[in-house]
Structures are given as structure tokens and as C-alpha cells.
Amino acid sequence: MARWRSSAVALAALGAAAGVAGCNPQPEYRRNGYASRADCLRDYPANQCESTRSGGVSYFYGPWYGNQRTATTNDPGPGATAVNGRSQSADPAGSVARRGGFGGTGRSSGFHGG
Amino acid sequence: MRRIAVPPRPNWVGRLEAIEFAGWRRKDGSAYWVEDACFELSADEVETLHEAAVVCETLVAAAVARAMEDPAGLAQLGLSDRLAALAQVSWRRGDPSLYGRFDFAWDGSGPPKLLEYNADTPTALYEAAVVQWRWLIDRDPEADQYNSIHENLIEAWRKLAPAIAKGGRLHLTSLQEEIDDAATAAYLADCAIQAGIETCLIDIADIGLKGGRLVDLEDRPITHLFKLYPWEWLVAEDEAFAAALLATDIGVLEPPWRVAAASKGLLVDLWRAATDCPYLLPTFWNEAAIIGDRVGKPILGREGANVKLRFTDQVRDGVGPFGGQPHVWQARAAMPAFDGRTPVFGVWIVAGAPCGLGIREDTAAVTGEGAYFIPHRIA
């Protein structure tokens, strides 16, 4: 009689490590980028917002921190603008990736999958 | 069908952790995985569940097709104008679906009754496909289980692999601190790897916007994205990110049309179109249409939040963030408790075909965040 189950269930790289193993290593440190000083100041004090100018456009960085998002204590600022994605700032000259546009609703509501 | 006590496997925690099933216990330390009991079903009972899912999948496809021709209907299902337009394009283009889960109420006699279809962001996949399979084999290598989810997922990815390879790689995103979501995304990545696809897991908030395109942490363009995150949130959270997602030619799983399939509002249309179907519960927009015990469900709610119970012996309004949504009203299904817990039978659909079962049980009337996963075997 035919079985209903798989004859074998092999994993390429166990559990949660799988996708990471298939991805190039992530940079050890990162920092949040902003299109305006006001956006940066929503996350960090003024002395931690560094301005840079490129191609006639100014944009701003917060301080460096470890890249593990779960280790939020490594993020020296609240990260409100970046994490909650409420900033309406433009993509600054296409030269620095802005992050945090997605995920705010799930993180604030606590409901996501099902 | 019966729920039976079984002795835990020796070193069962170690066995679960050896396959990286971190979700076997919840954040509060309580166990989510049931090791000391299981459900035992006959082959005929498995056939009954399988057939119910086959029929429901066909009915859903027909209902979604009807909805796509009716913009007002899509709005009633909870799709914004923008999402509705996206869903229509996606449907007409034939964007493939990877997976979904029908949740049935069932007492083992008579037909299972469809409670809902998790068609956009289904979770609890890893424990259904892998963890309970390992549990079964550990106990009896000759035993059977309704579960060929794993090989079907790999085969589904294999069919998608040529298109993904043109873009370079598949990104899989979720809220990484949510164990269940992260495990589902990581497991799907594992299956994709076995299908020859290069993968990259990325936290949903780490997706970047650069030059009008969505990029990963190394600023590589995202061309194919598995997202364990609701469509209705993706298109509403940040205008620039949403515009990049919609304007660029990113292949997304689950595709936008799946929101219509996942909407509880579709249950009303399913019932209206097939009142003689044995697997459907009477479901209406109007609460007064149901005389007797009934359940109110927010159309795009999740994890049992904001569900309203109007039972003879219990009246309850569930809490959560979805209370502002319209509710549909579904007749109460017969859901007997086994050892004090009420099971919900989740039949997994991969690439449009049912292929496995995951059973969750809860001491509460609504299966929610406090539910347990209990393995099963075929007698």
C-alpha cells in the first residue's frame, strides 16, 4: 500500500542556519542612513548624526553598530525612523540605501504570520 | 481518530534542538511541541481530509477568479485599490503560489469543516514537514503519516528555479526575531537550496531602497522575494518602498492575488456559491443571518486575534489590532475537545495540491498564540 509520507526528509543546512549559509556574509557593522538631518535626529542625538555630501546632495549617518538586529542593545539609537519605516524621506541620490521601510506594522502589532 | 498518550522519546529536547527547532518552546518557556501524546488517524480519515482540501482548493480558485472580475468585491475582501490592482495583474499573469494551509474543524466523523485558508503568510510549516516526520521515524521507521510536504516543496522550488536563476538569487524575508516566522523562512530556504537555488535570508527591516530598487544588505537588487509578511502591510507602510516593490519586476511569493484567497470575506462567497458543499460552514456578512452559535472573524485578521464568539454558553470579544476591520460571521463548527484540548487540522497545500497535515490544539475556544503542535500518525 502506498505511503502518505515522505520516504526521506533531508536538510541541506540544518534549520535556521540554512538561508544564512546560502547568503554571502553580512557586514559585521552597519549604520543607519537618512536623507535629512531631521530624520537622523529622530533616532540619535545631534552629536551622533554625521553629514556627508555627494553629488551636490547631503545625507546623514547615525553611528556604527553591530549588524545583529536581534541584539538591539548594540544599536545606540532608538532606531525609530529606520526600524518603523515612518520616514517619508527620499532615497538620497540613490547612493546610500535607506532601510527600515518594511516591518513596522508587524513589529508594533506583534501579529504577522498565521 | 483518537488522541493517545505516548512515552516521550529519550532525549527528545536534544533531538528537537539537533534539527534547530528552536520553536519547541515559546518565549515564556512553555512547551509548544507536544511530545507525550499524538493523534492517530486511519487511512480513510486521512483520505477524508485530503479530499476536503482538494475540493476547497478548487472552490477557492473559482471564488478568486470571480473576485478578480469585481473591483467592489475585492474592496469588500479588504484589498485597497492599489493592492486590488496588483492582485488582478498578478492573477491574470498566472503568478504561481508556493504554499498555503487550510484549517479544518473536525471530530473524525462526517465531513471536515473549513474554518479558514492561510494563503498569504502561513507558518507552523517546519514542525509539520520535518519535526513531526523525525518524531515518527524515531519511534517507528515503518509507520506512516500524512506528510509529503518536504519533497513537494523541493519540487515546487525546482520548477521556479530557472526563473529565479535569471535574477541571481532568492531572498527570503520575515521578522527574524519571531521564531516561528524565522523557522518557516529558513526551512523554505533549505528546500530552495536543495532545488539548486541560491538563497539569502534577510530581516524585513533590513531590506533597503537604493536608486528606486529594493536591495539586500550588500545593496544587491532583490529580484525574487519570498516574504512572510502580509501584503496589506507591505503596500501601506512606506510609500517609497511600496512603490519600488510594485514598480520593479520583482517576483514575490506568495503573489498578491493570494490576499483575496486569504481574506475571510472569501468564505462568504464560497458559501454563497456552494451551499451544498459538505466542507463549508454557513458564512455571512450579516451576523443576524445566523441563528445560533456563531463566530465573527476580522477579514484580514491573524493568529485568532479579535475573533468574536457568540455562543449560548460563552460571549467573548478577542483582543488584538484587527478590531477595526469588518467581520464575517461563520456558524460555529462542532469542535470536540480531546483531553481538554480542541484540535484544528491544518492541511498543507503546495503548488496547488494537498500533501500533508499539521495539527494544532488549544485549551481555548479560539486557536491562537497559545496553541500546541501535536504530531500524528496513521494507524
Side-chain angles (χ1 to χ4, degrees), chain A residues 47-73:
Chain A
N47 64 352
Q48 291 187 322
C49 287
E50 176 186 343
S51 68
T52 306
R53 192 169 178 83
S54 176
V57 177
S58 294
Y59 46 93
F60 299 82
Y61 288 120
W64 293 100
Y65 60 93
N67 73 351
Q68 297 302 310
R69 184 157 294 279
T70 52
T72 53
T73 53

Side-chain angles (χ1 to χ4, degrees), chain B residues 14-357:
Chain B
R15 290 170 188 263
L16 296 177
E17 293 180 343
I19 53 174
E20 307 247 355
F21 183 41
W24 74 268
R25 60 181 166 191
R26 285 180 264 265
K27 289 175 182 172
D28 65 5
S30 62
Y32 163 67
W33 169 262
V34 175
E35 180 71 23
D36 59 359
C38 72
F39 268 89
E40 189 174 79
L41 293 83
S42 69
D44 286 346
E45 288 166 339
V46 168
E47 185 71 56
T48 298
L49 280 169
H50 182 83
E51 179 61 20
V54 168
V55 170
C56 288
E57 179 72 6
T58 302
L59 293 176
V60 166
V64 170
R66 288 192 296 274
M68 292 302 160
E69 301 305 318
D70 177 15
L74 285 174
Q76 195 170 30
L77 294 181
L79 281 73
S80 64
D81 289 348
R82 171 185 248 178
L83 187 51
L86 195 65
Q88 287 174 309
V89 169
S90 162
W91 175 256
R92 289 168 186 155
R93 196 168 49 205
D95 288 352
S97 161
L98 177 67
Y99 78 136
R101 192 191 72 233
F102 282 112
D103 282 347
F104 290 102
W106 197 36
D107 61 4
S109 65
K113 298 291 186 182
L114 177 63
L115 296 172
E116 63 181 46
Y117 190 19
N118 294 279
D120 186 26
T121 58
T123 56
L125 176 65
Y126 187 55
E127 48 269 49
V130 176
V131 182
Q132 69 168 344
W133 188 92
R134 293 284 179 100
W135 167 89
L136 183 79
I137 300 304
D138 281 352
R139 306 184 69 86
D140 178 3
E142 298 304 315
D144 203 3
Q145 185 177 75
Y146 181 21
N147 181 11
S148 61
I149 302 168
H150 186 74
E151 64 213 54
N152 280 282
L153 283 171
I154 294 173
E155 183 58 27
W157 281 126
R158 195 168 282 133
K159 290 176 180 171
L160 296 169
I164 294 171
K166 289 179 184 174
R169 63 187 57 79
L170 168 71
H171 288 85
L172 302 100
T173 192
S174 67
L175 292 164
Q176 287 293 300
E177 75 272 25
E178 294 297 331
I179 292 173
D180 190 16
D181 294 22
T184 298
Y187 171 57
L188 286 171
D190 196 296
C191 292
I193 290 169
Q194 295 186 60
I197 296 171
E198 183 179 343
T199 67
C200 182
L201 284 177
I202 183 170
D203 185 277
I204 188 88
D206 281 337
I207 291 175
L209 178 65
K210 183 176 182 181
R213 302 205 59 164
L214 297 182
V215 297
D216 65 13
L217 278 169
E218 295 178 39
D219 290 355
R220 297 176 302 198
I222 293 173
T223 59
H224 290 83
L225 180 67
F226 169 83
K227 55 86 200 164
L228 198 58
Y229 198 75
W231 264 110
E232 62 271 22
W233 296 352
L234 286 174
V235 300
E237 288 184 340
D238 183 293
E239 178 56 33
F241 275 70
L245 179 62
L246 307 187
T248 54
D249 191 23
I250 298 176
V252 184
L253 290 167
E254 289 295 305
W257 65 264
R258 296 286 281 178
V259 182
S263 171
K264 310 298 188 297
L266 201 75
L267 296 168
V268 177
D269 188 58
L270 289 176
W271 174 250
R272 190 163 44 212
T275 53
D276 58 345
C277 176
Y279 307 121
L280 299 180
L281 290 163
T283 310
F284 303 92
W285 291 107
N286 179 11
E287 180 181 2
I290 299 178
I291 307 299
D293 288 359
R294 57 200 179 275
V295 180
K297 299 180 175 180
I299 52 176
L300 295 176
R302 291 166 199 280
E303 300 180 41
N306 297 105
V307 167
K308 299 177 180 179
L309 306 182
R310 297 292 181 268
F311 299 166
T312 305
D313 59 349
Q314 185 181 5
V315 174
R316 203 199 79 173
D317 282 3
V319 299
F322 310 113
Q325 295 182 6
H327 283 54
V328 298
W329 289 91
Q330 191 176 55
R332 182 185 190 182
M335 297 179 70
F338 294 75
D339 298 333
R341 295 179 178 185
T342 303
V344 167
F345 297 81
V347 178
W348 285 96
I349 307 293
V350 176
C355 58
L357 171 67

Side-chain angles (χ1 to χ4, degrees), chain A residues 5 22-23 30 91 105 107 111, chain B residues 143 177 199-200 206 211 233 237:
Chain A
R5 69 162 169 84
C23 191
R30 55 176 296 182
D91 175 13
T105 313
R107 287 210 155 88
F111 292 86
Chain B
E177 75 272 25
T199 67
C200 182
D206 281 337
W233 296 352
E237 288 184 340

